[in-house]
Amino acid sequence: MRFWICAAVLAAASFGLALSPVNEYFFYAAYVVLTFVVLATAWNILGGYAGYVNFGTPAFFGIGAYAATLLFKSLGAPLAVQIAAGALMGGLLGFGVGMLTLRLRGIFFAIATVAVVFIMETLMINWRYVGGATGLQLLRPEVIAPFENYIRMLFVVMAWMGIAGVAIARYVQDSWIGRGLRALRDSEEAAEACGVPTLKLKLFACTVMGGLMGAAGAPMPMYLSFIEPASTFNLNYTIGALGGAIIGGMSHWLGPIIGALLLGSLQQIVTVTISGEVNVLIVGVLLVLFVVLAPEGILGLLKKIMPRSR
Amino acid sequence: MKRTRREILKAGAALAVTAGIPGRAFAQAGPVKVGMSMPQTGSLGAGGQAALVALRLWVDDVNQRGGLLNRKVELIAYDDQTNPANVPGIYTKLLDVDKVDLIIAPYGTVPTAPLMPMAKQRGLLVMGNFSFQVNAKVQHDMWFNNAPWNNASSWSDGFFANGRKLGAKTVAFLAADQEFAQNLANGARELAKKGNLKAVYDQNYPPTTTDFSSLVRGIRAAKPDMVFVMSYPNDSVAIVRAVNEIGIGSGVKMFGGGMVGLQFTPIMASLGSLLNGIVNYNSYVPGMKYPIDDFLKRYAQRAKEAKVDPLGFYLPPFNYAIGQMLEQAVNGAKSLDHKQLAAYLKKNEMKTVVGPIRYGPDGEWANARVVQAQFRGVVDKDVEQFRSPAKQVVIYPDAYKTGTVIAPFEKARKAKK
Amino acid sequence: MFFSFELLLEALMFGVLLGCFYTAVSIGLSVSFGLLDVPHVAHPAIMVLGSYATYIVASQGLDPILSGVLLMPVFFVLGVLVYRFYYESFERRGTEAGVRGLAFFFGLAFIIEIGLILVFGVDQRTVEAAYIGESLELGEYRIPYRMLVAFGVALVLTFSLTLYLSKTFTGRAIKAVAQDEPALRLMGANPVRIKQWAFGIATGVSALAGALLIIVGPVEPAIDRLYIGRTFCIVVLAGLGSMTGTLAAGLILGIAESMVLMFFGASWAPAVAFGLLLLVLGVRPQGLFGR
């Protein structure tokens, strides 16, 4: 119950914030941070709970973005429909990638997901209708009241999407699905021997992860008013999602939120004050540090400091 | 705007670093801030660095004259690395964090493309910077380009007209898959069809391609009379080297057309004799009668200090012209309001170091002045040689012509002048 | 698309040369991942580091191949240090190819790439040599010398490594540790030192591969992302741990890419390596000569 109250408060707060005279740039930057909250949360469903490392975040994110672009360009579809399409395509791709897990583990699965990213990118490069390698300029529709401009609205959309994503991750974690995933993370053979339906669980995790990432990607073309393959399918999304989850802590749904919020905010501040590259460098360095020194992430560190927490 | 919510949500506003800056503050006196993203690294980097020197020269000049509306002018320029993905973030920062009064587009079509929808949505005046047809789809009515071309015809006519004079019947198109090259390619294909030229080869390549040997081989096998290339500096260099390495075929009469980068001094110096015979577009070559000499002299001093392109032919004069146009518009309209400035720019003819500029309804020049020139007798490792008009012989248009094209391409590569 | 027999033959020749170059680029990974099971996704990044190191050394006036060779011992030491760190942090605690090991190398790859951007910028770098820019004329065909040089060095590298692994004592020890580590331990050899040595060799080889990379074409820091696909495709297709398999796989990929380039155009070529990789993983994951 506590969770739902918090969720409602946050949802209302984000709505209120969007109507306040806070500087525009805050919403522009916060949108990106919230995107990474969704991506990290989604990544953790497969990566943290099941132990399958997915390097292919940009593939799902990108297919959502391009699905949205396609619908917007051809039918002028509203944002809600674009997001639904993004989630659907992401989920389908997730299901397809999930089938890969039949025979591939560990690094082989990870490299296979990288392959999916580049193949998706090449497909989009060769599809002139959505811009090809050149890219597509997009004119947003008029923003709906009560929002002052489109970016503020997108901020609220992404905040609510984050809350929804976390709710899904929490459900998965606490249900029998989560228990099954944890079992197969510890030992897939043993889990199978005990009767855990490992394939169904893996497919489920992949589909949910893909769907969430696709939904997160769908508003991106509207956010930038522009889309092109190289930046959409950029591996920087991989390290952001993976980094957020690992640094935050992979065992609990709170981890990716903490990790993505901290990492994302740090990145935005560095981008504005120093440079765009240094922010990716920081993610890389923090990732390596945490993976070596604090594998349980920030949650793990908190647990050590506060022995009687959650 | 629901102002009562402001009280309730002050606590929430403390979350963000930038929340301290209220969205509506207005700087009363204080400098006039001109903001832009300029590619200083990446494919267009060499051109962008030179252009920036020219812009900073204008800022100093205008400040010596008392600034704009009696306020000092300040230029804020970030590096987008020729990557269009960086552009929306940079301009959002310029507008919402740095709070600039005026914006200039980045140099080049590719970095400018993402700016256009944003500019239209926010109702901003944009001074274009050597892009090609970047406003065609968005159709923003406050766009003013500084480039001496307008549509595809203005660019390609010279190339095709000369080719036809030489008896060419077939053409090969090689274009990068990016905004500039695709805009130009679409136009050029139409013109070729209208002029009864048959396209025997037509390929797009991803902008990150570095090895062109397969593509050059393909072109050679198609045996075209003309090869029209539309490329950005990194690819232009690679294509020139590939053609030199494996040959384009003895039947090719003319090669070049739309290769960006072969006008940048550092690239011209590094390619040297590999340039000979190529017929390519340019905005200014020595010999053209523009009121430009004083600018070039002062630019050269600055360029030497900044260690960039010492000649300053292609891009810098036109960037200085942007500054001059902004100055005349602001002084003429006596305001910084974007709508008023746009109205002024639409109506009036402006005087610049590259001659008088008057705009058509689409924000491009009413009268194009782009030339096609052929490289002749270029030697390796010599920058100063390019000051001589003999190294880039203008073959089109008649108003600026200094010579006739030498064909075929392989023969022109060896010609001494 | 214009098609002729000469064009096909030229594409085939180019594919063979390209394939051997890809082999040189992947052979380090064949040792570090194929034999040692290290999830080394940072391999292409280290190779690009080698390219930039070659650029620096060659700008002092040295020939690029010579620069690459001179850098090999430096990179050997680098490899030893990286493996040592990896071993202490992960392998010893038994969590190697899991999430943490992969994340470590992925993070390392990014750190190297961004580090290069911060030092050198995003501009392309090239080296100059007498054989870069000229080509060999065989009748109708012109073969660029830079490709021939890469081809030659690649063959030398592959054969020396194969001989080393099968004829020398340490070489055979490396193969042994890949096959059966506990047995090796029982025989009194120290597997960690052997693996360290092997990883060092793999990294040293990557230095020379980096030199070849910058000879064959211009490099920029993000080019490692393109090569993740090619190197892993070759190593997996070869079958983990087989050196001659790497050569065969390299040739297959090189020819495949060349053919796709000719028949489908330059915009599909980047997907060939990844597509082939997925195909191999789906159909025959143990590769051609797998152990």
Side-chain angles (χ1 to χ4, degrees):
Chain A
M1 205 52 225
R2 258 187 319 174
F3 174 81
W4 292 110
I5 297 178
C6 275
V9 167
L10 282 172
S14 64
F15 193 87
L17 198 58
L19 297 177
S20 76
V22 168
N23 182 285
E24 294 302 326
Y25 199 76
F26 167 74
F27 298 103
Y28 190 78
Y31 174 88
V32 178
V33 176
L34 289 169
T35 303
F36 276 105
V37 170
V38 179
L39 290 178
T41 302
W43 187 92
N44 203 40
I45 293 177
L46 187 67
Y49 300 164
Y52 273 76
V53 177
N54 167 30
F55 280 158
T57 307
F60 306 101
F61 182 82
I63 202 178
Y66 272 94
T69 304
L70 178 64
L71 286 184
F72 179 72
K73 182 172 177 189
S74 58
L75 303 169
L79 189 62
V81 174
Q82 292 175 34
I83 294 178
L88 180 67
M89 292 311 295
L92 280 174
L93 185 63
F95 187 83
V97 169
M99 297 300 285
L100 281 177
T101 62
L102 264 177
R103 290 213 254 178
L104 304 177
R105 309 271 169 83
I107 186 174
F108 293 99
F109 177 73
I111 297 294
T113 56
V114 177
V116 174
V117 175
F118 279 86
I119 291 176
M120 286 296 314
E121 186 182 347
T122 306
L123 285 172
M124 292 305 131
I125 284 178
N126 284 290
W127 194 5
R128 290 239 72 87
Y129 187 70
V130 289
T134 299
L136 207 58
Q137 292 159 319
L138 300 158
L139 282 169
R140 298 176 192 145
E142 285 305 316
V143 67
I144 3 175
F147 296 107
E148 195 180 308
N149 64 46
Y150 213 88
I151 299 284
R152 287 171 182 254
M153 182 181 82
L154 286 180
F155 165 78
V156 175
V157 167
M158 196 48 86
W160 289 13
M161 201 190 292
I163 295 173
V166 171
I168 293 175
R170 175 175 172 269
Y171 170 74
V172 169
Q173 180 178 322
D174 293 340
S175 70
W176 67 272
I177 303 174
R179 279 200 297 276
L181 289 173
R182 281 193 291 279
L184 79 86
R185 178 190 63 198
D186 291 333
S187 166
E188 196 153 337
E189 287 87 5
E192 249 164 59
C194 292
V196 176
T198 53
L199 180 63
K200 283 208 196 109
L201 287 176
K202 283 189 289 189
L203 286 175
F204 178 81
C206 282
T207 312
V208 170
M209 173 190 76
L212 269 177
M213 289 183 176
M220 188 57 118
M222 290 289 105
Y223 171 74
L224 289 176
S225 302
F226 185 75
I227 189 169
E228 53 98 33
S231 56
T232 308
F233 291 99
N234 195 327
L235 287 179
N236 288 3
Y237 286 112
T238 299
I239 205 171
L242 187 155
I246 291 181
I247 290 174
M250 291 190 283
S251 54
H252 192 278
W253 52 264
L254 268 179
I257 302 178
I258 298 176
L261 279 177
L262 278 174
L263 208 58
S265 309
L266 188 60
Q267 281 189 292
Q268 288 301 314
I269 294 174
V270 168
T271 304
V272 173
T273 50
I274 308 179
S275 86
E277 280 90 33
V278 178
N279 90 55
V280 183
L281 183 65
I282 289 183
V283 180
V285 170
L286 282 174
L287 178 64
V288 170
L289 280 175
F290 268 84
V291 142
V292 172
L293 297 172
E296 303 295 314
I298 292 179
L299 278 186
L301 290 176
L302 287 175
K303 246 187 256 190
K304 281 196 199 139
I305 303 175
M306 307 186 300
R308 264 185 289 122
S309 74
R310 311 192 169 265
Chain B
M1 252 291 279
K2 299 184 172 75
R3 289 186 191 272
T4 48
R5 294 195 191 242
R6 199 186 307 180
E7 316 302 331
I8 308 169
L9 294 158
K10 246 193 194 150
L15 278 169
V17 170
T18 53
I21 309 172
R24 294 255 168 94
F26 208 113
Q28 285 302 353
V32 171
K33 294 193 205 164
V34 180
M36 74 184 299
S37 163
M38 179 70 98
Q40 295 160 61
T41 53
S43 205
L44 294 176
Q49 287 180 24
L52 208 49
V53 169
L55 274 170
R56 294 201 199 281
L57 179 60
W58 169 74
V59 169
D60 289 344
D61 285 350
V62 80
N63 280 336
Q64 271 185 352
R65 289 193 278 273
L68 288 176
L69 303 178
N70 281 320
R71 292 159 62 181
K72 182 166 167 228
V73 174
E74 192 185 307
L75 178 69
I76 304 177
Y78 295 112
D79 180 7
D80 57 44
Q81 304 173 336
T82 320
N83 185 352
N86 292 337
V87 169
I90 288 177
Y91 279 90
T92 306
K93 181 177 167 205
L94 284 167
L95 292 161
D96 296 327
V97 177
D98 298 311
K99 302 230 179 283
V100 297
D101 302 289
L102 298 167
I103 58 172
I104 300 177
Y107 158 49
T109 315
V110 170
T112 305
L115 174 62
M116 299 311 295
M118 192 180 174
K120 183 167 179 171
Q121 276 151 196
R122 291 176 81 147
L124 301 165
L125 169 74
V126 183
M127 300 303 292
N129 202 341
F130 263 46
S131 9
F132 179 74
Q133 289 294 310
V134 78
N135 192 28
K137 296 180 212 99
V138 172
Q139 309 223 316
H140 182 37
D141 63 354
M142 296 206 277
W143 158 263
F144 299 95
N145 200 357
N146 72 343
W149 48 77
N150 39 38
N151 57 17
S153 182
S154 64
W155 192 305
S156 334
D157 275 350
F159 194 83
F160 289 145
N162 270 281
R164 237 175 282 122
K165 246 186 272 178
L166 296 168
K169 300 260 186 317
T170 58
V171 62
F173 290 116
L174 181 65
D177 193 351
Q178 33 99 318
E179 184 84 19
F180 158 73
Q182 289 302 305
N183 286 350
L184 187 53
N186 290 333
R189 279 186 204 113
E190 285 296 316
L191 288 168
K193 235 186 287 175
K194 266 192 235 157
N196 286 325
L197 288 165
K198 179 159 170 258
V200 294
Y201 180 95
D202 191 346
Q203 276 287 301
N204 295 330
Y205 59 86
T208 47
T209 308
T210 49
D211 190 279
F212 287 89
S213 21
S214 306
L215 293 167
V216 170
R217 241 178 260 126
I219 296 176
R220 193 180 60 208
K223 298 204 194 345
D225 294 325
M226 295 191 282
V227 182
F228 195 76
V229 181
M230 295 147 277
S231 53
Y232 253 23
N234 282 346
D235 353 326
S236 302
V237 170
I239 292 172
V240 171
R241 290 192 193 277
V243 164
N244 181 62
E245 213 181 38
I246 61 179
I248 195 79
S250 45
V252 172
K253 298 187 178 20
M254 287 210 322
F255 180 94
M259 302 176 78
V260 182
L262 302 188
Q263 307 81 9
F264 296 173
T265 306
I267 291 183
M268 290 199 289
S270 98
L271 286 176
S273 55
L274 300 185
L275 288 169
N276 283 321
I278 298 179
V279 175
N280 202 23
Y281 81 97
N282 211 324
S283 58
Y284 170 78
V285 295
M288 286 172 80
K289 301 266 180 290
Y290 282 170
I292 204 175
D293 294 329
D294 175 63
F295 164 78
L296 286 178
K297 231 182 298 176
R298 292 189 301 130
Y299 165 87
Q301 278 173 328
R302 295 286 196 110
K304 201 153 76 167
E305 288 160 15
K307 296 208 189 64
V308 295
D309 167 8
L311 300 177
F313 290 155
Y314 175 63
L315 198 48
F318 292 81
N319 269 259
Y320 191 85
I322 292 181
Q324 291 182 302
M325 288 196 282
L326 273 176
E327 192 179 348
Q328 286 169 55
V330 170
N331 289 336
K334 299 224 190 326
S335 124
L336 291 174
D337 174 71
H338 287 204
K339 283 209 178 54
Q340 293 183 21
L341 293 174
Y344 183 92
L345 288 166
K346 274 201 191 110
K347 269 202 295 261
N348 295 282
E349 182 176 276
M350 264 114 357
K351 291 203 211 336
T352 70
V353 290
V354 293
I357 299 179
R358 182 178 280 282
Y359 283 103
D362 59 353
E364 308 289 334
W365 286 19
N367 299 308
R369 266 185 263 143
V370 59
V371 302
Q372 291 280 343
Q374 186 170 39
F375 287 98
R376 307 254 188 94
V378 176
V379 300
D380 292 333
K381 299 205 196 328
D382 177 0
V383 170
E384 294 296 314
Q385 68 178 320
F386 292 107
R387 288 195 193 276
S388 153
K391 300 294 170 175
Q392 293 187 71
V393 176
V394 178
I395 59 169
Y396 181 94
D398 288 333
Y400 299 103
K401 191 165 166 175
T402 57
T404 346
V405 62
I406 295 183
F409 173 60
E410 290 289 339
K411 174 166 161 229
R413 292 181 70 197
K414 304 191 177 56
K416 284 303 166 200
K417 51 163 151 197
Chain C
M1 191 110 10
F2 200 85
F3 177 79
S4 76
F5 190 67
E6 281 109 18
L7 203 56
L8 183 64
L9 206 58
E10 245 187 312
L12 205 66
M13 270 199 294
F14 185 71
V16 168
L17 294 174
L18 192 65
C20 284
F21 163 64
Y22 286 160
T23 302
V25 155
S26 317
I27 206 145
L29 189 66
S30 250
V31 174
S32 56
F33 173 55
L35 283 177
L36 304 176
D37 279 330
V38 175
H40 194 11
V41 289
H43 171 260
I46 292 194
M47 180 184 66
V48 176
L49 187 66
S51 298
Y52 274 90
T54 305
Y55 171 77
I56 296 181
V57 175
S59 60
Q60 302 302 316
L62 286 165
D63 172 77
I65 300 272
L66 184 60
S67 315
V69 172
L70 289 174
L71 285 166
M72 284 174 83
V74 178
F75 272 65
F76 175 85
V77 172
L78 176 68
V80 168
L81 291 172
V82 169
Y83 182 79
R84 198 75 218 197
F85 186 78
Y86 168 76
Y87 176 77
E88 296 297 334
S89 312
F90 304 102
E91 230 175 66
R92 179 182 266 189
R93 307 184 202 162
T95 56
E96 343 79 56
V99 181
R100 299 174 58 213
L102 273 170
F104 168 72
F105 277 103
F106 196 71
L108 185 63
F110 264 85
I111 292 175
I112 293 177
E113 185 185 313
I114 305 295
L116 286 173
I117 293 183
L118 289 173
V119 172
F120 292 96
V122 295
D123 294 328
Q124 288 181 340
R125 306 280 169 176
T126 55
V127 289
E128 285 185 6
Y131 43 83
I132 300 177
E134 300 298 319
S135 41
L136 179 68
E137 298 195 36
L138 290 178
E140 280 288 306
Y141 308 110
R142 287 170 69 169
I143 306 176
Y145 278 123
R146 60 189 163 88
M147 297 305 295
L148 286 171
V149 166
F151 172 76
V153 174
L155 285 177
V156 167
L157 209 54
T158 314
F159 284 127
S160 358
L161 211 52
T162 315
L163 284 173
Y164 178 79
L165 287 174
S166 50
K167 302 284 185 234
T168 67
F169 181 75
T170 9
R172 280 205 292 256
I174 293 172
K175 275 178 126 174
V177 93
Q179 275 178 4
D180 195 342
E181 189 172 321
L184 195 74
R185 223 188 283 257
L186 286 173
M187 291 200 277
N190 182 349
V192 180
R193 287 200 57 193
I194 295 174
K195 289 208 232 179
Q196 201 174 277
W197 181 269
F199 200 86
I201 293 182
T203 314
V205 164
S206 295
L208 189 56
L212 289 181
L213 186 65
I214 198 173
I215 287 175
V216 161
V219 301
E220 39 107 20
I223 207 174
D224 64 323
R225 302 184 185 197
L226 257 164
Y227 279 86
I228 292 183
R230 292 180 175 139
T231 51
F232 275 91
C233 167
I234 289 176
V235 170
V236 171
L237 176 58
L240 297 182
S242 166
M243 297 300 124
T244 29
T246 311
L247 183 59
L251 284 170
I252 293 176
L253 178 63
I255 294 175
E257 263 194 34
S258 194
M259 291 296 135
V260 168
L261 212 65
M262 189 185 79
F263 283 111
F264 297 102
S267 43
W268 287 104
V272 174
F274 284 109
L276 193 56
L277 175 65
L278 282 181
L279 194 65
V280 173
L281 285 175
V283 168
R284 196 189 153 90
Q286 67 269 43
L288 294 169
F289 303 94
R291 61 187 160 99

